[in-house]
């Protein structure tokens, strides 16, 4: 019957890496769609239809098109970052692939940290539109550097990419805030940012699929080449549809803008002022510390997931291969899309569980507090990273076994040793998880 046909189709999909991850992506997309529809239905019951100001529509259209094109270019480079650099040969340079990929990875983020404060100041001084155009140029040069096998060119490309990252996360959004202030549309910023990052998740999912297609046609540098096209389109749209704005000239009238710009020219905030603000409010330091620690763990994951997934895929799907000598390809683009679909699912759950409209029949809020949700998220992330570590580590079981030989620790750690073996065997057979 229909059930057996569906089961056979699912079994067929699960026998190949691409089919398995496409199946997982479909399940994630379906779950997210159900939650989104549920959220929209609940919102429509409570909200009255409001006619949007044409000026707000125009601002959102101009910003969102550029923002999503530039974000697409950035996301396209994610799935094959490890592969494009691991495929390089550096002449007399020594070290394994992970060593050089790690160094190139670090170069980009060191560049972001070093030039980030200066880039922000330059954007405020010379214009946020100009900063967006410079991002398109630098990121294009960084992407094209992946065609080279010269280590110096690759390092220069990563430096330009790092500076570009600073611009991407400052210039477009600063332009939006400035343009909204100039036109008296500050009240629309919350909605605009919401639309931007809701759409960004969908853009990231599509980027993973497009990266896989580009890599299949042009090799691991294919997604980087494709990203240049999106950078050019985004830059052209910004150049022809955005009006320049700089810090100090975003009030509603031109006369007041000139006056305030002169008054504030010598009193721009400095890094010392920022440090003072952080010292005066410990909550800022706590939030920043939590975010920094989380992102540190995330970037460790970003660097290590491609070789880890490739190893697991090769180990499991070898039994389905008709040619045992052929390499088993890992669909990095689809895997990346699955990650991004999980991000979208998580943000959707956050919106639903923390919504202020969740009340019981007595009018008491049933919403989960942001703090409790964040604590649960961090706990789940810790568990996920721990399971991933146990599944690929060869040293963890040995360390636990050595520790359990000590009488005092034997009772405490023996269950962990068994757990490490169980998790490792489970994740080496991903078909059981699917």
């Amino acid at each position: 019957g229909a059930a057996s046909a569906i089961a056979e189709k699912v079994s067929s999909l699960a026998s190949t890496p691409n089919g398995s991850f496409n199946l997982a992506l479909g399940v994630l997309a379906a779950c997210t769609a159900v939650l989104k529809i549920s959220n929209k239905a609940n919102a429509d019951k409570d909200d009255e239809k409001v006619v949007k100001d044409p000026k707000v529509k125009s601002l959102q259209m101009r910003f969102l098109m550029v923002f999503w094109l530039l974000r697409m270019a950035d996301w396209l480079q994610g799935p094959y970052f490890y592969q494009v650099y691991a495929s390089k040969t550096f002449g007399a340079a020594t070290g394994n692939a992970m060593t050089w990929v790690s160094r190139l990875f670090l170069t980009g983020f060191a560049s972001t940290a070093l030039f980030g404060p200066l880039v922000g100041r330059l954007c405020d001084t010379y214009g946020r539109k100009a900063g967006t155009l410079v991002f398109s140029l630098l990121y294009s040069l960084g992407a094209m550097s992946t065609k080279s096998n010269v280590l110096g060119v690759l390092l220069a490309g990563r430096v330009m990419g790092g500076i570009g990252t600073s611009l991407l996360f400052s210039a477009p959004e600063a332009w939006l805030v400035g343009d909204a202030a100039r036109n008296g549309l500050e009240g629309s910023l919350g909605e605009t940012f919401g639309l931007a990052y809701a759409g960004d998740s969908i853009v990231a999912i599509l980027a993973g699929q497009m990266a896989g297609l580009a890599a299949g046609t042009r090799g691991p540098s294919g997604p980087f080449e494709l990203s240049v096209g999106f950078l050019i389109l985004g830059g052209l749209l910004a150049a022809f549809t955005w009006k320049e704005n700089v810090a100090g000239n975003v009030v509603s009238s031109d006369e007041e803008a000139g006056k305030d710009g002169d008054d504030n020219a010598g009193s721009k905030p400095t890094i010392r002022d920022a440090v003072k603000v952080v010292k005066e409010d410990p909550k800022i330091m706590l939030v920043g510390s939590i975010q920094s620690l989380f992102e540190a763990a995330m970037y460790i994951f970003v660097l290590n997931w491609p070789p880890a997934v490739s190893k697991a895929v090769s180990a499991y799907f070898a039994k389905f291969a008709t040619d045992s000598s052929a390499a088993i390809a890992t669909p990095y683009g689809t895997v990346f899309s699955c990650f991004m679909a999980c991000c979208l699912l998580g943000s959707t759950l956050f919106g639903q569980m923390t919504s202020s409209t969740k009340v019981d029949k007595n009018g008491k809020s049933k919403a989960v507090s942001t703090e409790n949700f964040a604590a649960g998220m961090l706990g789940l992330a810790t568990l996920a990273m721990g399971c991933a570590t146990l599944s690929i580590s060869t040293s963890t079981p040995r360390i636990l076994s050595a520790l359990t030989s000590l009488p005092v620790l034997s009772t405490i750690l023996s269950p962990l040793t068994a757990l490490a073996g169980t998790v490792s065997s489970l994740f080496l057979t991903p078909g059981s998880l699917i």
Side-chain angles (χ1 to χ4, degrees):
S4 61
I6 293 173
E8 185 177 348
K9 181 65 175 177
V10 170
S11 177
S12 175
L13 286 172
S15 65
T16 64
N18 199 49
S20 295
F21 286 108
N22 275 321
L23 182 62
L25 179 60
V27 171
L28 289 167
C31 292
T32 305
V34 169
L35 285 173
K36 286 284 187 184
I37 293 171
S38 174
N39 284 351
K40 183 172 179 57
N42 292 333
D44 288 343
K45 291 178 182 178
D46 301 320
D47 296 342
E48 296 182 359
K49 296 294 182 182
V50 178
V51 178
K52 187 177 292 187
D53 187 336
K55 290 184 179 180
V56 173
K57 285 184 178 180
S58 174
L59 176 62
Q60 290 179 343
M61 182 66 70
R62 286 182 288 127
F63 170 73
L64 292 174
M65 292 303 295
V66 173
F67 180 79
W68 286 334
L69 285 169
L70 299 184
R71 292 293 290 174
M72 172 65 83
D74 185 42
W75 288 123
L76 277 168
Q77 300 183 18
Y80 288 86
F81 179 92
Y82 181 90
Q83 283 67 36
V84 77
Y85 290 114
S87 66
K88 303 298 181 183
T89 55
F90 304 124
T94 59
N96 58 31
M98 177 59 79
T99 299
W100 282 107
V101 173
S102 300
R103 290 171 180 172
L104 288 163
F105 189 78
L106 179 61
T107 299
F109 284 99
S111 173
T112 300
L114 181 63
F115 295 106
L118 176 62
V119 162
R121 175 56 63 87
L122 290 174
C123 281
D124 285 344
T125 302
Y126 296 102
R128 286 72 179 263
K129 173 182 171 180
T132 301
L133 297 179
V134 172
F135 159 75
S136 297
L137 174 63
L138 291 178
Y139 228 58
S140 295
L141 293 173
M144 294 309 297
S145 73
T146 61
K147 299 293 291 181
S148 175
N149 276 321
V150 179
L151 181 58
V153 173
L154 295 173
L155 287 170
R158 288 299 297 147
V159 171
M160 288 186 284
I163 298 173
T165 298
S166 297
L167 288 166
L168 176 62
F169 288 100
S170 58
E173 294 177 17
W175 176 87
L176 171 65
V177 173
D179 206 70
R182 179 168 54 191
N183 293 286
L185 304 175
E186 295 95 329
S188 68
L189 287 174
E191 179 191 8
T192 306
F193 280 121
L195 290 171
Y197 283 97
D200 187 45
S201 298
I202 298 172
V203 166
I205 294 170
L206 294 175
Q209 298 296 86
M210 294 174 66
L213 293 173
T217 304
R218 301 280 296 172
S221 64
F224 291 78
E225 297 171 17
L226 181 59
S227 73
V228 174
F230 285 96
L231 289 165
I232 292 172
L233 286 174
L236 287 174
L237 274 178
F240 290 107
T241 64
W242 287 11
K243 292 182 179 179
E244 187 61 277
N245 65 56
V246 298
N249 72 343
V250 294
V251 293
S252 55
S253 74
D254 293 336
E255 293 78 14
E256 289 179 350
K259 179 180 178 180
D260 290 349
D262 293 337
D263 291 344
N264 296 329
S267 59
K268 293 179 180 178
T270 64
I271 294 178
R272 182 178 297 176
D273 295 329
V275 172
K276 183 179 179 181
V277 171
V278 172
K279 285 183 177 179
E280 291 176 350
D281 189 350
K283 291 181 180 179
I284 298 176
M285 178 64 75
L286 289 173
V287 172
S289 298
I290 292 170
Q291 184 170 355
S292 297
L293 290 169
F294 179 83
E295 292 202 5
M298 183 187 71
Y299 284 125
I300 291 172
F301 172 82
V302 166
L303 184 60
N304 284 277
W305 77 260
V309 169
S310 180
K311 181 180 177 181
V313 165
S314 297
Y316 177 72
F317 288 99
K319 63 184 179 183
F320 298 110
T322 55
D323 184 359
S324 58
S325 62
I328 298 174
T330 301
Y332 296 105
T334 307
V335 176
F336 183 84
S337 291
C338 288
F339 291 152
M340 296 301 103
C342 288
C343 291
L344 180 58
L345 179 59
S347 63
T348 304
L349 282 171
F350 173 78
Q352 188 174 66
M353 295 178 68
T354 61
S355 173
S356 59
T357 61
K358 290 177 67 70
V359 294
D360 59 21
K361 60 183 181 181
N362 297 319
K364 185 177 180 181
S365 175
K366 296 169 61 179
V368 178
S369 70
T370 301
E371 294 81 1
N372 288 339
F373 190 94
M377 177 275 294
L378 292 171
L380 183 60
T382 302
L383 179 62
M385 289 288 282
C387 289
T389 302
L390 289 174
S391 69
I392 65 172
S393 175
T394 57
S395 60
T396 303
R398 290 200 300 269
I399 293 171
L400 289 173
S401 296
L403 290 173
T404 55
S405 65
L406 300 174
V408 177
L409 298 179
S410 178
T411 303
I412 300 174
L413 296 179
S414 289
L416 290 179
T417 305
L419 176 62
T422 301
V423 171
S424 181
S425 62
L426 181 63
F427 278 82
L428 285 176
T429 56
S432 62
L433 294 177
I434 294 171

